[in-house]
Amino acid sequence: MEEKLNVVPFVSVESMKKLVHRIGVNPFLNELAAEIEKDFLRWEQFDKVARISAHSEEGVIELMPTTDGEVYGFKYVSGHPKNTRSGCQTVTAFGLLSDMRTGYPLMLSEMTILTALRTAAMSALTAKYLAPKGADTMAVIGNGAQSEFQALAFKEIVGVTKVRLFDIQCSASMKCARNLRGTGIEATICNSAEEAVLGSQIITTVTADKQYATILTDNMIGPGVHINAVGGDSPGKTELHKNILLRSSIFVEFPPQTRIEGEIQQLDADHPVTDLYSVMAGKRAGRTSKQEITLFDSVGFAVEDFSSLRYVRSKLAETGFYEELDLLADPDEPRDLFGMLMGA
Amino acid sequence: MEEKLNVVPFVSVESMKKLVHRIGVNPFLNELAAEIEKDFLRWEQFDKVARISAHSEEGVIELMPTTDGEVYGFKYVSGHPKNTRSGCQTVTAFGLLSDMRTGYPLMLSEMTILTALRTAAMSALTAKYLAPKGADTMAVIGNGAQSEFQALAFKEIVGVTKVRLFDIQCSASMKCARNLRGTGIEATICNSAEEAVLGSQIITTVTADKQYATILTDNMIGPGVHINAVGGDSPGKTELHKNILLRSSIFVEFPPQTRIEGEIQQLDADHPVTDLYSVMAGKRAGRTSKQEITLFDSVGFAVEDFSSLRYVRSKLAETGFYEELDLLADPDEPRDLFGMLMGA
């Protein structure tokens, strides 16, 4: 990438697809998880702030910025569950990296695909620390756009080989099972969430409705499981019955954000939770017994997007999978923006 | 613009230049000011939040979101005064509009040029309410990238025909004077800020250094002038001596942001200031006497960028000055993001 001050590398949806195909989706998930882990191990270096949300009846639009002091990154992400009715995606996202010394953007990228990959990579990375040893079966409740990514990441990073699928729309489960053919994952379509959790050591909930839902009730959760609660990620949007939370050891990304958005919005503001970064760093315990119920109250944090954008950027030079975007004004004399504008 | 779900209209620097040329820079400033005024007159409809800043030694990167409930907008903007030493812009910016009902982006646009235009339009709009009647002479202290835009907007909207330029680098003043030739504005280059303010009814300060500077001292400010303080817009970055503030009636965009970033960061947190929207709505007085010193403590607020982006978007269909950006994933079946990704 040569020096053209006006130009910012842009990773389109098409380029992101090419990149995933070139690397392979499994290695991509693996490498992404490793990048996220590396950044969680230097957690103190990041400026952290709860994301900035604009809510409407239909959904939410969020900005998620962070910086490690050298590079700045942010993601724009929207979540509108009813979109699928009109053929649109629930989630749209894009993100940017820039240079903290100059403020100049370094890369703009689509992030709808990248968010799906990073969310799954983060879930599986967390389960590597928290799930019971030897777990090979996972219930996946909610079989929308995120479900296959979760299944693949858990196969790659945790060793899950069997998934038990349930969705209130059977067609979604069938789509998920179809997509998982040939991946080495055995998919079973279940008729209820109760059936899906049977024999599962890991339970992933990844539904989209913006409401207080009860995807999992207390009686469905036996001792020793790991719950990967992905869908409850917004004020007024939860998936688990409160009693499950009270029986679980709860692990979170960034408490000030999760208290507002996660399952724990149902609990007192001082209910004990454990920071994932401290578990990864070996400073706090993860799972401490076979009987313990561990719960990753996933909402998605800016550092994960930062890691993902940096990972993508690291591949640009070798793959050339980007376009050049004329995003920045570049007058010959930096003080002469007006002259540049008015010039021919 | 036909319905292609993956595509977002993108206004590049080149397209923005074309748009300004097509409309003409003076009508553009005029229409932009009118759009901003309209939005300030419906101020209560906006979600307002102080911008989210990431500071470094060299500068700041900010995200500025807002929504009127129907449309969402945000701007990314960086300010790095030392950039000019290496031939880069102090400010880089781009922005986005999206649909609150779906979260789908409606337009991505360069905003380095657009920010320069909107900042000047906002300054002049404010002066229309606050400057002494018949003001025709303006001091412009700091003759960098923003200076010509200020001069033109004040000519167009306030009736200023004479500008008195001062910059610590004479070459900047010469550049500004040269650019203003043929615009109907008479430019005089001055040797000091003191000289520039002589005979000026309006004083614009628009310097870039990130520090507590004293561009104007108390003795330079006579009764009855309007001060348009544009450059002090970040914690630790001010331009006016505190005593000037204490003698002035101070007008601001959004107090929670200006208290942190504006000249008034030098004052007590409860020092009285007047919201500009209430002046525009006729609910609060603007200038009340010929002797009064009025001060617009400008920092730039998200609503102004929102107005500007909407203005630009309103011109796209008729001008065609945009490109199509492959920013959004668009699977045939919205739940089948994975299938789209893995498909050929």
Side-chain angles (χ1 to χ4, degrees):
Chain A
M1 284 169 278
E2 44 176 323
E3 277 280 274
K4 282 188 278 184
L5 283 174
N6 66 312
V7 160
V8 176
F10 167 60
V11 181
S12 67
V13 171
E14 199 50 41
S15 292
M16 186 63 76
K17 277 181 66 172
K18 283 186 194 161
L19 183 62
V20 174
H21 282 262
R22 170 71 63 88
I23 294 171
V25 63
N26 288 15
F28 195 110
L29 286 162
N30 228 333
E31 291 175 22
L32 203 50
E35 290 302 316
I36 294 172
E37 191 172 30
K38 260 195 257 172
D39 283 337
F40 269 65
L41 289 173
R42 59 183 188 113
W43 190 251
E44 304 77 15
Q45 291 173 26
F46 287 92
D47 259 9
K48 291 172 289 288
V49 62
R51 57 189 162 206
I52 301 93
S53 304
H55 292 277
S56 65
E57 250 176 67
E58 295 88 356
V60 63
I61 296 175
E62 299 167 327
L63 296 177
M64 303 171 67
T66 192
T67 173
D68 65 0
E70 290 187 4
V71 174
Y72 173 93
F74 84 89
K75 178 167 79 170
Y76 166 101
V77 59
S78 62
H80 291 70
K82 290 174 191 158
N83 275 3
T84 50
R85 294 182 196 165
S86 51
C88 293
Q89 288 279 294
T90 295
V91 171
T92 77
F94 70 93
L96 181 98
L97 287 178
S98 57
D99 185 335
M100 279 293 280
R101 283 166 311 167
T102 64
Y104 269 58
L106 297 168
M107 180 188 78
L108 182 77
S109 177
E110 88 80 35
M111 288 191 79
T112 309
I113 294 169
L114 191 57
T115 295
L117 289 159
R118 83 92 162 102
T119 300
M122 181 65 196
S123 282
L125 169 64
T126 300
K128 194 180 74 171
Y129 288 93
L130 299 178
K133 287 274 163 284
D136 63 357
T137 305
M138 174 164 82
V140 181
I141 300 172
N143 300 150
Q146 171 64 200
S147 57
E148 298 93 342
F149 297 96
Q150 288 282 336
L152 283 183
F154 275 80
K155 171 169 185 288
E156 191 62 23
I157 294 162
V158 184
V160 164
T161 54
K162 285 169 273 187
V163 294
R164 300 177 61 78
L165 307 175
F166 173 68
D167 195 291
I168 47 171
Q169 294 193 285
C170 186
S171 59
S173 303
M174 289 168 67
K175 176 262 325 177
C176 182
R178 194 169 57 239
N179 280 334
L180 293 177
R181 265 180 222 153
T183 63
I185 301 172
E186 185 190 321
T188 305
I189 296 178
C190 302
N191 293 311
S192 66
E194 286 81 356
E195 191 184 328
V197 304
L198 284 179
S200 298
Q201 302 94 3
I202 300 172
I203 301 167
T204 288
T205 57
V206 58
T207 64
D209 264 4
K210 191 178 180 181
Q211 59 177 2
Y212 292 109
T214 308
I215 308 302
L216 296 180
T217 54
D218 196 27
N219 63 320
M220 291 162 67
I221 304 301
V225 300
H226 173 65
I227 304 172
N228 172 42
V230 178
D233 61 356
S234 198
K237 180 166 181 279
T238 59
E239 294 180 317
L240 309 188
H241 192 281
K242 184 179 168 181
N243 287 351
I244 299 173
L245 308 183
L246 296 173
R247 290 163 62 207
S248 304
S249 302
I250 301 173
F251 298 83
V252 304
E253 291 145 315
F254 180 60
Q257 182 178 303
T258 312
R259 299 263 184 214
I260 301 168
E261 300 182 351
E263 297 298 328
I264 59 171
Q265 64 186 279
Q266 303 180 68
L267 303 181
D268 294 338
D270 61 350
H271 188 91
V273 298
T274 304
D275 287 290
L276 278 165
Y277 82 88
S278 62
V279 176
M280 294 185 195
K283 293 177 187 164
R284 295 282 302 272
R287 171 173 291 273
T288 54
S289 79
K290 282 189 178 173
Q291 303 301 307
E292 187 176 14
I293 299 169
T294 52
L295 167 62
F296 172 31
D297 189 0
S298 161
V299 295
F301 188 61
V303 169
E304 297 149 35
D305 299 307
F306 178 94
S307 315
S308 303
L309 286 167
R310 292 231 306 183
Y311 174 69
V312 168
R313 181 163 184 256
S314 75
K315 302 293 184 187
L316 296 192
E318 71 186 78
T319 65
F321 293 153
Y322 64 94
E323 295 158 45
E324 298 194 331
L325 209 60
D326 172 31
L327 186 64
L328 301 176
D330 178 30
D332 296 332
E333 208 281 274
R335 286 192 182 80
D336 200 7
L337 183 64
F338 185 81
M340 187 211 78
L341 172 62
M342 300 316 287
Chain B
M1 286 169 277
E2 44 176 326
E3 277 280 274
K4 281 188 279 184
L5 284 174
N6 66 312
V7 159
V8 176
F10 167 59
V11 182
S12 66
V13 171
E14 199 50 41
S15 292
M16 186 64 76
K17 277 181 67 172
K18 283 186 194 161
L19 183 62
V20 175
H21 282 262
R22 170 71 62 89
I23 296 172
V25 64
N26 288 14
F28 195 110
L29 285 162
N30 229 331
E31 292 175 22
L32 204 51
E35 291 301 317
I36 295 171
E37 191 172 31
K38 261 195 257 173
D39 283 337
F40 269 65
L41 289 173
R42 60 183 188 114
W43 189 251
E44 305 75 16
Q45 291 173 24
F46 287 92
D47 260 9
K48 292 173 288 290
V49 63
R51 58 190 162 204
I52 302 93
S53 305
H55 292 277
S56 64
E57 249 175 68
E58 296 88 355
V60 63
I61 296 174
E62 299 167 326
L63 296 176
M64 303 171 69
T66 193
T67 173
D68 65 359
E70 291 188 6
V71 174
Y72 173 93
F74 84 89
K75 178 167 82 170
Y76 167 101
V77 58
S78 62
H80 291 71
K82 288 174 192 158
N83 275 2
T84 51
R85 292 183 198 165
S86 50
C88 293
Q89 288 279 294
T90 294
V91 172
T92 77
F94 70 94
L96 181 97
L97 286 179
S98 57
D99 185 336
M100 278 294 280
R101 284 167 311 167
T102 64
Y104 269 59
L106 298 167
M107 181 187 78
L108 182 77
S109 177
E110 89 78 36
M111 288 191 79
T112 309
I113 293 169
L114 191 57
T115 296
L117 290 159
R118 83 91 160 104
T119 300
M122 181 65 196
S123 283
L125 170 63
T126 300
K128 194 180 73 170
Y129 288 93
L130 299 179
K133 289 274 162 285
D136 64 357
T137 305
M138 175 165 81
V140 180
I141 300 171
N143 301 150
Q146 171 64 202
S147 57
E148 297 93 343
F149 297 95
Q150 288 282 335
L152 283 184
F154 274 80
K155 170 169 185 290
E156 192 61 22
I157 294 161
V158 184
V160 164
T161 54
K162 285 168 273 186
V163 294
R164 300 178 60 79
L165 307 175
F166 173 68
D167 195 290
I168 48 173
Q169 294 193 285
C170 186
S171 59
S173 303
M174 287 168 68
K175 176 263 322 176
C176 181
R178 194 170 58 239
N179 281 333
L180 292 177
R181 266 180 222 151
T183 63
I185 301 171
E186 185 189 322
T188 305
I189 297 178
C190 301
N191 293 310
S192 66
E194 285 80 356
E195 191 184 327
V197 304
L198 284 179
S200 297
Q201 301 94 0
I202 300 172
I203 301 167
T204 290
T205 55
V206 58
T207 62
D209 264 3
K210 191 178 180 182
Q211 61 178 4
Y212 293 108
T214 306
I215 307 303
L216 297 180
T217 54
D218 197 27
N219 62 319
M220 290 162 67
I221 304 302
V225 300
H226 174 64
I227 304 172
N228 173 42
V230 178
D233 61 357
S234 198
K237 179 165 181 282
T238 60
E239 294 181 317
L240 308 189
H241 192 280
K242 184 180 168 180
N243 288 350
I244 299 173
L245 308 183
L246 296 173
R247 289 165 60 208
S248 303
S249 302
I250 302 173
F251 299 83
V252 304
E253 292 144 315
F254 181 59
Q257 182 178 303
T258 312
R259 299 262 185 215
I260 301 167
E261 301 181 350
E263 296 298 328
I264 58 172
Q265 65 187 277
Q266 303 180 67
L267 303 182
D268 294 338
D270 60 352
H271 188 91
V273 299
T274 304
D275 288 290
L276 278 167
Y277 82 88
S278 62
V279 175
M280 293 185 195
K283 293 176 189 166
R284 295 282 303 270
R287 169 173 293 273
T288 54
S289 79
K290 283 190 178 171
Q291 302 302 306
E292 188 177 14
I293 300 169
T294 51
L295 167 62
F296 173 31
D297 189 359
S298 161
V299 296
F301 188 61
V303 170
E304 297 149 35
D305 299 307
F306 178 94
S307 316
S308 304
L309 287 167
R310 292 230 307 183
Y311 173 69
V312 168
R313 182 163 183 255
S314 75
K315 302 293 185 187
L316 295 193
E318 70 185 78
T319 64
F321 293 151
Y322 64 93
E323 296 158 45
E324 297 194 331
L325 209 61
D326 172 31
L327 186 63
L328 301 176
D330 178 31
D332 297 332
E333 208 281 275
R335 286 193 182 80
D336 200 8
L337 183 64
F338 185 80
M340 186 211 80
L341 173 61
M342 300 316 287

